[in-house]
Amino acid sequence: MPIHKTKAGYKLQINRKGIPRIRRTFPTLRAAEQFERDHLYKHMGIVDRGSAEVAASSRQPGQQEDDRSLLALLDIWWRYHGVNLSDGTRRKAILEAMFSRLGHKNARTFSPQQFLDYRYACMYTDSSPVMAKTFNNRHVYLAAMYRTLKKLKVIDYECPIADVELVKIHEKQLTFLSKGQVIDLFDNLKGCRNKSVWWIAQVCIRTGARWGEAESLKRKQIHNGRVTFEFTKSKKVRTVPLDPVFYADLIDFARLKNPEERIFKDGMMAFNRVVARTDLIFPRGQMTHILRHSFASYFIMNGGNILTLQNILGHADIKMTMRYAHLSPNYLNDAVALNPMAKLGL
């Protein structure tokens, strides 16, 4: 049931035995695909639309080939899996934008060459090229969608880009704020009309929290000299102690809040505006995240344990935490004591 792009719009043709024949033109691709799904649901005699789609994907040899588009599979992935992910909405938006640009592509016949042409355009010919890490995220999300649907038996074929390697990225040292920059930043944040911004940034740099984790704190999450973060990226609850003086001040700031009430207002945009008015230059993509990097960097430089840091940051994989290991005062000191020149006394 191909959909063809014409000057008049997107032309849909449905020619399937036992179903009324359809030839119609729609203004958008989404409208054509939605009509296609609704028409099949209406005439296939299956109670659940998702079941109809799964049944269509489980064809035996000799049956009609699966010709669903990438967008059609994304719709199924969202209902069966994506809606339950902590970042599912964001992933869905990224994949939708990706598939819309690719045009109406058959998910089964989508080729590595088509994907690589898209990657080249995004990274090298677009007016605003995307970074390698950003595109690698898209790559991972697309491959994960195929793998999930194959596991759920929605499709019976492998991911077409399974053998395409991610773009190699040169590893860089994570940036952190100097002591002078920390003082300068928080002096400027104190003048922000949104008083929550200073407090959110303080929680981030004192606990290593992500901005969203600190921004969404409720009154019940600060207790007994500690702050507990919920709905984290790893989906695990973690608790971090606070400096007693700061804890008392935070309790006073939140004294009129109910247990289920948020302590702070949204503040990311205000934070960005404050930084833009200063001489501080943050690496691309690390605007608020530099607070988390700064906490982790100073923790290790001051002699903190790498496993303790893993628990504080909530990293599921120790490899993520090891990015800070080189900042340890004793990191690879044997290179000095055990090199050939040292052994020769030179």
Side-chain angles (χ1 to χ4, degrees):
M1 292 163 287
I3 299 175
H4 301 288
K5 187 176 182 181
T6 66
K7 291 182 179 180
Y10 291 87
K11 185 177 180 181
L12 167 66
Q13 296 186 67
I14 299 179
N15 296 302
R16 178 177 289 189
K17 186 176 181 181
I19 295 177
R21 182 179 179 184
I22 292 292
R23 286 188 179 180
R24 287 184 56 180
T25 301
F26 298 83
T28 66
L29 177 61
R30 291 299 292 270
E33 291 179 335
Q34 184 64 52
F35 181 89
E36 179 185 31
R37 290 194 293 270
D38 291 342
H39 188 75
L40 292 178
Y41 168 61
K42 180 179 179 181
H43 295 282
M44 286 179 74
I46 298 177
V47 175
D48 176 66
R49 186 183 309 176
S51 300
E53 290 164 333
V54 173
S57 71
S58 305
R59 301 182 181 93
Q60 299 299 318
Q63 290 183 300
Q64 189 169 347
E65 184 179 350
D66 184 351
D67 56 2
R68 287 171 294 183
S69 69
L70 288 166
L71 279 170
L73 288 194
L74 177 61
D75 182 56
I76 301 172
W77 171 86
W78 168 251
R79 288 186 282 114
Y80 288 5
H81 180 72
V83 69
N84 298 315
L85 298 178
S86 58
D87 65 340
T89 301
R90 183 178 63 85
R91 286 197 190 197
K92 181 173 182 284
I94 290 171
L95 290 171
E96 277 183 336
M98 183 177 174
F99 297 162
S100 295
R101 174 165 178 178
L102 284 167
H104 181 71
K105 291 289 190 296
N106 183 301
R108 176 190 282 273
T109 60
F110 182 60
S111 69
Q113 291 75 25
Q114 290 172 322
F115 177 77
L116 291 172
D117 286 341
Y118 167 72
R119 185 173 76 181
Y120 179 78
C122 290
M123 294 183 60
Y124 300 106
T125 64
D126 283 0
S127 57
S128 298
V130 302
M131 298 175 66
K133 185 179 185 303
T134 300
F135 193 87
N136 280 347
N137 289 340
R138 299 182 189 180
H139 185 156
V140 169
Y141 296 159
L142 175 59
M145 183 191 81
Y146 272 102
R147 287 196 303 271
T148 299
L149 294 179
K150 176 78 178 334
K151 185 176 180 180
L152 294 173
K153 302 188 184 305
V154 174
I155 59 176
D156 58 4
Y157 49 88
E158 299 297 331
C159 171
I161 61 169
D163 295 328
V164 178
E165 295 184 354
L166 298 174
V167 179
K168 298 293 184 183
I169 300 175
H170 292 288
E171 187 175 351
K172 296 180 181 179
Q173 180 178 340
L174 295 173
T175 303
F176 59 90
L177 297 171
S178 68
K179 292 180 180 178
Q181 287 176 317
V182 171
I183 294 171
D184 187 22
L185 173 62
F186 282 94
D187 282 346
N188 281 278
L189 290 178
K190 273 205 168 182
C192 183
R193 285 185 295 178
N194 183 349
K195 299 304 178 184
S196 292
V197 176
W198 186 88
W199 288 98
I200 298 169
Q202 283 280 347
V203 171
C204 289
I205 204 165
R206 288 174 180 270
T207 67
R210 299 176 180 86
W211 186 271
E213 294 171 345
E215 186 179 60
S216 61
L217 282 175
K218 295 179 180 179
R219 174 60 185 84
K220 68 177 184 178
Q221 291 173 250
I222 52 173
H223 51 85
N224 298 330
R226 293 170 168 78
V227 56
T228 297
F229 298 105
E230 301 176 332
F231 303 104
T232 63
K233 189 175 181 179
S234 65
K235 294 190 175 182
K236 294 182 179 179
V237 172
R238 69 180 191 277
T239 300
V240 182
L242 291 171
D243 172 79
V245 175
F246 176 75
Y247 175 79
D249 291 340
L250 180 58
I251 288 291
D252 184 61
F253 180 80
R255 65 185 183 279
L256 300 179
K257 303 291 184 179
N258 296 319
E260 293 292 338
E261 190 176 356
R262 276 183 55 181
I263 300 172
F264 309 122
K265 299 177 182 177
D266 291 347
M268 183 177 289
M269 296 301 294
F271 179 87
N272 293 344
R273 287 194 295 270
V274 170
V275 172
R277 292 196 296 267
T278 70
D279 294 329
L280 297 171
I281 300 176
F282 293 172
R284 184 178 176 185
Q286 291 188 32
M287 185 61 79
T288 58
H289 217 59
I290 200 169
L291 300 171
R292 179 172 165 89
H293 291 323
S294 296
F295 167 85
S297 298
Y298 281 100
F299 182 93
I300 292 298
M301 287 190 290
N302 291 328
N305 180 275
I306 196 73
L307 294 177
T308 302
L309 179 61
Q310 180 188 8
N311 291 329
I312 293 173
L313 297 180
H315 286 157
D317 190 339
I318 189 63
K319 292 178 183 178
M320 291 291 291
T321 322
M322 287 300 294
R323 295 178 298 172
Y324 303 101
H326 69 282
L327 296 171
S328 171
N330 300 317
Y331 183 69
L332 300 182
N333 275 355
D334 286 349
V336 177
L338 303 179
N339 73 76
M341 301 304 284
K343 290 300 181 181
L344 292 172
L346 300 175

